[in-house]
Amino acid sequence: MKLIIQIPCYNEEATLPETLAALPASLEGVDEIETLVVNDGSSDRTLQIAKDIGVDHIVTQVRNRGLARAFMAGLEASLDAGADIVVNTDGDNQYCADDIPVLIAPILTGEADIVIGARPIFNNPNFGILKKLLQQLGSAVVRVFSGTDVRDAPCGFRAISRLAAMQMRVFSGYTYTLETIIQAGHHGLSVKSVPVRVNEQRRPSRLVRNLPSYLWRSCLTILRIFILYRPLPFFSLCSFLIFFPGFLLGLRFLVFFLAGQGDGKIQSLILAALLMTSGAMLFIVAILADLIAANRMLLEDVHWRVAKMRYAQTGDRE
């Protein structure tokens, strides 16, 4: 059983040594532990520090491509290196490395494919009351959309089995945390939350520069991935919300017309026709989007089979 701990980094020269030093050298149930650093276009000495410390694997992106791209680059490199389990943590030493055994335990016992840490949100002094409430609300929304029981959806401290890692594809360039959970739920993967601890904050979050921006981009990510995986119900709902008011307006005009009072209400008829036509067109879009989604599912199945063949030489045990 091989565990690779991946650390996406962007200008983490101040905290990377501490983060690497805290990682466990051995764990029960794990035969090999290796480290992997994704240098996401750092302009400081992050890359040199990783080399000096002797990190097992280093993935370098020439320019900064963002957290989501760095995460996926690390995941693919970990699979190439033969990882059975991938643990993702942050380069700012935000998460307590002593909780890695708790994080990987459900995967080792076969209880879960993905394990996500649940931080003590309401006991975290670094979070304001508004941020705490928004974190809880966001996690609740992700639970609804994904059908999973994740308590801290934005948490990046997570363990991923080889099976789950081979099925992950991140479309967002902003963050992978929310999208991968909804994707996992759609693929029928087992997702589990476990309580984890956090260390003292060393620097402000680069992802959450301000709450309104983070909230807006997170909502767009959730909406986008929901449309991607559930286009028929989404567009059908939009169609109904537009068609039904038009139908009521048309029915109203018909009642007046039959009563001989249709004069002067032609505007209602025109609006009803516009709304009902738009609703009908959206329903056609819903059907077309569903057909495209079926095509995408076939492509995902092809990708899954190709991934199994690609990683068979690096220890695929599926």
Side-chain angles (χ1 to χ4, degrees), residues 14-23 53 92-93 199 202:
T15 54
L16 184 58
E18 183 180 357
T19 302
L20 290 168
L23 299 180
I53 292 177
D92 61 357
N93 200 35
N199 298 319
R202 299 289 299 276

Side-chain angles (χ1 to χ4, degrees), residues 20-281:
L20 290 168
L23 299 180
S26 63
L27 290 170
E28 185 178 350
V30 175
D31 302 311
E32 300 176 70
I33 298 178
E34 295 180 357
T35 52
L36 182 148
V37 165
V38 182
N39 174 39
D40 188 25
S42 299
S43 57
D44 65 358
R45 297 183 64 254
T46 296
L47 178 59
Q48 189 58 49
I49 288 173
K51 290 178 178 178
D52 292 343
I53 292 177
V55 169
D56 297 293
H57 309 279
I58 298 176
V59 178
T60 297
Q61 301 186 144
V62 178
R63 62 182 181 85
N64 179 245
R65 301 182 64 201
L67 182 59
R69 302 281 190 271
F71 170 80
M72 281 306 302
L75 209 59
E76 291 178 6
S78 295
L79 288 171
D80 279 329
D84 295 294
I85 303 175
V86 180
V87 166
N88 185 80
T89 190
D90 284 357
D92 61 357
N93 200 35
Q94 173 189 169
Y95 303 112
C96 180
D98 291 340
D99 287 333
I100 289 179
V102 177
L103 206 62
I104 66 172
I107 295 179
L108 290 174
T109 58
E111 298 174 44
D113 299 300
I114 300 172
V115 184
I116 300 174
R119 296 166 292 180
I121 300 295
F122 284 100
N123 295 327
N124 193 332
N126 299 317
F127 288 5
I129 184 64
L130 180 59
K131 186 175 180 180
K132 293 175 181 178
L133 293 174
L134 288 175
Q135 289 277 70
Q136 294 299 305
L137 177 62
S139 295
V141 171
V142 172
R143 284 196 294 272
V144 171
F145 279 105
S146 66
T148 63
D149 187 27
V150 175
R151 285 174 282 165
D152 186 7
C155 181
F157 193 34
R158 49 184 65 189
I160 305 159
S161 72
R162 187 175 183 81
L163 170 70
M166 285 194 290
Q167 297 184 63
M168 281 189 179
R169 280 295 170 270
V170 176
F171 299 97
S172 169
Y174 181 55
T175 180
Y176 61 89
T177 54
L178 310 180
E179 184 173 341
T180 50
I181 296 171
I182 297 173
Q183 197 175 84
H186 175 78
H187 287 149
L189 298 173
S190 174
V191 183
K192 185 179 178 65
S193 284
V194 295
V196 295
R197 295 164 291 177
V198 293
N199 298 319
E200 183 180 353
Q201 184 172 320
R202 299 289 299 276
R203 60 163 175 78
S205 171
R206 296 193 181 112
L207 192 65
V208 189
R209 294 180 180 176
N210 61 76
L211 280 177
S213 172
Y214 176 73
L215 184 62
W216 171 249
R217 297 183 75 168
S218 296
C219 288
L220 286 180
T221 297
I222 294 172
L223 182 62
R224 181 185 181 189
I225 198 69
F226 180 72
I227 295 173
L228 184 69
Y229 285 104
R230 298 285 190 272
L232 184 61
F234 176 81
F235 287 110
S236 295
L237 177 61
C238 293
S239 170
F240 175 79
L241 292 176
I242 294 175
F243 182 90
F244 189 64
F247 174 77
L248 292 179
L249 278 173
L251 192 62
R252 174 180 175 273
F253 175 82
L254 184 62
V255 170
F256 280 112
F257 179 78
L258 292 176
Q261 303 175 26
D263 294 343
K265 295 183 172 57
I266 192 67
Q267 297 91 339
S268 297
L269 182 61
I270 294 172
L271 181 59
L274 285 172
L275 290 174
M276 292 174 70
T277 302
S278 299
M281 290 178 66

